Amino acid sequence: MKISFLIHNAYGIGGTITTTFNLAQALAERHEVEIVSVLRHRERPNFTLDPRVLLRPLVDLRQEKNHPLHLRPAQVFPAAEYRYRQYSELTDQRIGESLAATDADVVIGTRPGLNVHLAVQAPQRVARIGQEHLTLDNHSPRLRTALRRAYRRLDVLTTVTEADAAAYRRKMRLPGVRVEALPNSVPDPVLPAADGTAKVVVAAGRLVPVKRYDLLIEAFALVAAEHPDWQLRIYGKGEEHARLQRLIHDLGLYENAFLMGAAAPMEAEWVKGSIGAATSSFEPFGMTIVEAMRCGLPVVSTDCPHGPREIIEDGVDGRLVPVGDRDALGAALLELVRDHERRRLMGRKAIENARRFAPVPVVRQAERLIDEAISARTTGRPIAPESTRIHRTLISQGFAARDVAHTAAGRALRTIRRGRR
């Protein structure tokens, strides 16, 4: 079987790239796998890719940034999509040509705009799987309206949490499309797990406002006041670096809290700690939570939508605290800092419970969905028969009408504003 992934830019850094590489490499054990990257801006990817996986770019920005077609706006890629300004008539053309010529049995899109391309441009013979790495509620009404029209041509739509899969089933009404949660996988660790003795709290991710590292630093100040021999290490880079560094200085934590820069892979850094921390106000999944748990760290996390609650069992392999609550976060960290034995036991439980995110179970589920999608294309029968439950249809129609109304109101407001200029 040949499997093709369609991704925005495989040469960048981000969770979607990591999870796509992980799944592609695991599938390459038994299948022919390629990753088609719409954009390319450097010679090699930031992440190491298994040589069995072919990486093929469509538009090389190093030579084609000023291509005449790349200076014209995209027509297929939806305008309401976050990455729209990076797409163009050139990307429309190259993606369409790639899909038309593909010899893959199944193509897997990895973001909403690319799922739209897949839905409307893939040949009828090709099985189509769209992946959602954010959440439905994270999308604007205008984008949701565009997705409703296109996604009905998919065979399968996967989300990273059960909560988001339920939202898609309830709000979108995609007759004949299988909507199922497929969690991200994390490769099996190669280093010995943390033993819980290191006096280090570890966090990792982009230094951006949604991650709320300011909250983590403030909460850790409560830990450092009682246990000055403990450290906080935050790995990553981003726009918040200078502000977070000032906060560390202002709180007098310059000997306890450190911005460590980016590290890839993170496994060697996780195992140097004893507690993981995740403080986002919004998290579609929580890849770093799984990484930390697989390395033997109990994780203290905000109970934000949607991922952490589906990964952490509160009080067993980590702790969940209210979003934005500095004192609750500090208390949960102190709870584990003070009790070495509980910290150690929760770390062992974290390893055990996080095995469900290992490549083997996730790949088995992915292969089942791929087989079902191919069978649906071959037989002409949809995977998921249309529901006959009228109330569910009415609910989804209600959400659709609401999104259309929001979209129309936004368009009217933009017209009025332009008229006043």
Side-chain angles (χ1 to χ4, degrees):
M1 181 189 334
K2 182 169 182 180
I3 303 165
S4 179
F5 289 86
L6 182 62
I7 194 168
H8 169 66
N9 188 342
Y11 298 82
I13 295 176
T16 300
I17 300 168
T18 302
T19 57
T20 300
F21 278 31
N22 287 346
L23 182 56
Q25 290 169 167
L27 288 167
E29 294 283 346
R30 289 189 295 276
H31 307 284
E32 183 182 355
V33 182
E34 70 170 2
I35 296 175
V36 177
S37 179
V38 176
L39 302 177
R40 178 185 191 174
H41 69 286
R42 54 180 295 171
E43 182 63 26
R44 298 183 185 280
N46 283 286
F47 302 111
T48 302
L49 184 64
D50 190 309
R52 293 173 297 181
V53 179
L54 173 67
L55 176 59
R56 181 163 59 88
L58 300 181
V59 175
D60 193 330
L61 296 175
R62 295 173 301 174
Q63 287 86 40
E64 298 181 293
K65 185 177 181 180
N66 294 313
H67 189 292
L69 290 181
H70 196 53
L71 301 178
R72 299 178 188 171
Q75 300 300 314
V76 179
F77 195 91
E81 226 267 34
Y82 170 69
R83 296 284 186 183
Y84 176 70
R85 293 186 181 278
Q86 293 176 260
Y87 284 74
S88 63
E89 279 194 22
L90 182 62
T91 59
D92 280 355
Q93 181 184 91
R94 297 279 173 85
I95 295 170
E97 290 171 349
S98 176
L99 289 171
T102 188
D103 60 349
D105 298 290
V106 60
V107 178
I108 302 173
T110 57
R111 65 176 304 113
L114 297 181
N115 295 340
V116 170
H117 271 280
L118 177 60
V120 303
Q121 291 183 316
Q124 189 64 26
R125 59 182 168 77
V126 175
R128 310 163 184 184
I129 298 179
Q131 291 183 337
E132 174 62 85
H133 287 278
L134 292 174
T135 68
L136 178 63
D137 291 338
N138 185 250
H139 301 321
S140 69
R142 186 181 175 199
L143 180 57
R144 289 196 295 262
T145 298
L147 300 185
R148 278 188 183 89
R149 291 194 295 265
Y151 276 15
R152 294 184 177 206
R153 303 184 196 182
L154 298 174
D155 299 299
V156 174
L157 176 66
T158 67
T159 63
V160 290
T161 63
E162 292 289 350
D164 198 40
Y168 264 99
R169 296 187 198 107
R170 188 164 64 98
K171 298 179 179 181
M172 292 292 274
R173 188 173 176 266
L174 303 173
V177 180
R178 168 69 61 81
V179 180
E180 188 168 317
L182 178 69
N184 295 328
S185 71
V186 172
D188 296 322
V190 298
L191 298 174
D195 61 10
T197 60
K199 297 179 178 182
V200 178
V201 177
V202 182
R206 292 174 299 125
L207 306 185
V208 292
V210 71
K211 297 296 185 180
R212 291 305 311 270
Y213 288 125
D214 57 336
L215 185 76
L216 176 57
I217 292 167
E218 290 172 355
F220 184 76
L222 304 176
V223 175
E226 184 177 312
H227 296 271
D229 52 343
W230 274 73
Q231 289 186 358
L232 169 64
R233 299 176 186 174
I234 300 174
Y235 291 86
K237 59 183 180 180
E239 64 192 68
E240 290 266 280
H241 185 278
R243 189 175 80 87
L244 296 174
Q245 195 64 64
R246 285 195 302 271
L247 180 61
I248 289 171
H249 184 271
D250 292 345
L251 293 175
L253 295 174
Y254 33 81
E255 293 185 353
N256 298 90
F258 304 95
L259 303 181
M260 306 293 291
M266 264 296 294
E267 183 182 345
E269 310 310 322
W270 290 121
V271 299
K272 295 174 186 175
S274 290
I275 302 170
T279 50
S280 298
S281 54
F282 168 79
E283 193 68 72
F285 179 65
M287 192 74 167
T288 59
I289 296 175
V290 178
E291 289 177 354
M293 292 173 66
R294 296 216 71 198
C295 289
L297 275 63
V299 177
V300 177
S301 172
T302 47
D303 190 13
C304 64
H306 286 277
R309 178 164 288 275
E310 294 192 15
I311 301 170
I312 296 170
E313 187 176 353
D314 190 28
V316 176
D317 51 24
R319 289 298 320 279
L320 293 169
V321 300
V323 175
D325 192 330
R326 182 203 64 180
D327 293 337
L329 179 63
L333 290 170
L334 276 169
E335 180 183 308
L336 296 183
V337 166
R338 291 168 180 160
D339 193 337
H340 167 72
E341 185 60 20
R342 187 175 187 211
R343 191 168 69 240
R344 186 185 67 81
L345 290 175
M346 290 178 75
R348 302 286 75 76
K349 200 67 177 178
I351 294 174
E352 179 183 330
N353 290 351
R355 287 197 180 106
R356 68 190 188 277
F357 302 108
V360 170
V362 174
V363 167
R364 283 177 184 160
Q365 184 183 356
E367 286 180 320
R368 173 178 59 78
L369 290 171
I370 290 169
D371 287 342
E372 291 179 359
I374 292 173
S375 176
R377 282 285 148 183
T378 302
T379 63
R381 292 193 297 270
I383 299 175
E386 184 171 358
S387 173
T388 58
R389 296 172 64 181
I390 296 176
H391 76 278
R392 182 176 295 175
T393 300
L394 292 174
I395 289 172
S396 63
Q397 288 176 345
F399 281 108
R402 189 182 307 170
D403 285 343
V404 169
H406 277 296
T407 301
R411 188 180 300 117
L413 184 59
R414 287 192 295 272
T415 302
I416 292 170
R417 286 173 176 167
R418 281 196 297 269
R420 288 175 176 173
R421 291 174 184 169

